[in-house]
Each structure stands twice: as structure tokens, then as C-alpha cells.
Amino acid sequence: MQACPSKFNCPVDATIQLIGGKYKAVILWHLVDGKKRFSELKRLIPKATEKMLTQQLRDLETDGLIIRTIYPVVPPKVEYSLSELGRSIVPVLDSMCSWGTDYLNTQV
């Protein structure tokens, strides 16, 4: 195991802190295919309230996992996409998807 000379207790703690919010991993998963607007994400994650989705997006942006691009048009156009750091977590999301699929298949 690796030591953690930071605010995190261990590498797993760091990962959970970054993607462990209620919808963070799901947001990242939906951004794997490309840029999405807020309304698209809201449609893809219908259980998320606007307030919760906004907060999760802000957290992901603050942590450097996504990029928020604002276009100077009226009405304002905002798109979210994975940053380089965000793209680096795609293998973890793929593993989570595979594990979740296997789990769901055993629950039938």
C-alpha cells in the first residue's frame, strides 16, 4: 500500500472524495461520450434535482475533473466536458460499469 502525504487517508479515499458524490460518477460517465449541456445531463439523470446537479458539477469543476465552457451568446450556452484528469478516470468508470452489470445480473 502507498502512503498518503496529503489531506486524504489513502489512494482509495482520494478517489472516493473526488467521484463519490451522489451523482459525480454518473455525470462523469455521461461525459465520456462528449460534451453535454446542463439540460442534457438533467435529462440523463432525472433523479437529480437541479440544485444537486449544479452542486455536483461545481465540485467536479473545482476538483479539475470537468471543464465548464461558457459561450457568449444570448441565451447563454454552457457545456461540460471531461478534462484531461477526468479522462484519466475513464478506466475506473469502465470497471465500475462492468462490476455493476455483473451485480445487477445476479439480482434477477
Side-chain angles (χ1 to χ4, degrees):
M1 289 189 148
Q2 298 175 354
C4 284
S6 71
K7 63 182 177 177
F8 303 110
N9 294 323
C10 70
V12 173
D13 183 36
T15 305
I16 296 297
Q17 290 296 318
L18 292 172
I19 69 167
K22 189 160 186 170
Y23 298 107
K24 289 179 183 179
V26 176
I27 292 167
L28 293 169
W29 180 252
H30 286 301
L31 292 176
V32 167
D33 293 331
K35 297 176 183 178
K36 300 275 187 295
R37 295 181 72 174
F38 183 88
S39 59
E40 292 175 280
L41 291 168
K42 180 69 180 120
R43 222 175 7 263
L44 291 166
I45 312 168
K47 291 183 180 180
T49 64
E50 287 193 20
K51 181 180 178 182
M52 178 60 77
L53 186 56
T54 298
Q55 185 58 54
Q56 299 284 279
L57 287 164
R58 283 184 185 147
D59 291 349
L60 289 167
E61 182 184 14
T62 298
D63 291 335
L65 293 166
I66 65 170
I67 297 168
R68 180 175 183 251
T69 305
I70 304 169
Y71 297 93
V73 294
V74 176
K77 178 181 175 183
V78 178
E79 289 182 330
Y80 298 92
S81 60
L82 293 178
S83 65
E84 187 174 331
L85 179 62
R87 284 191 297 277
S88 73
I89 205 158
V90 170
V92 174
L93 298 172
D94 284 337
S95 293
M96 290 172 65
C97 182
S98 294
W99 186 89
T101 299
D102 292 344
Y103 172 78
L104 291 173
N105 287 336
T106 65
Q107 301 303 305
V108 176

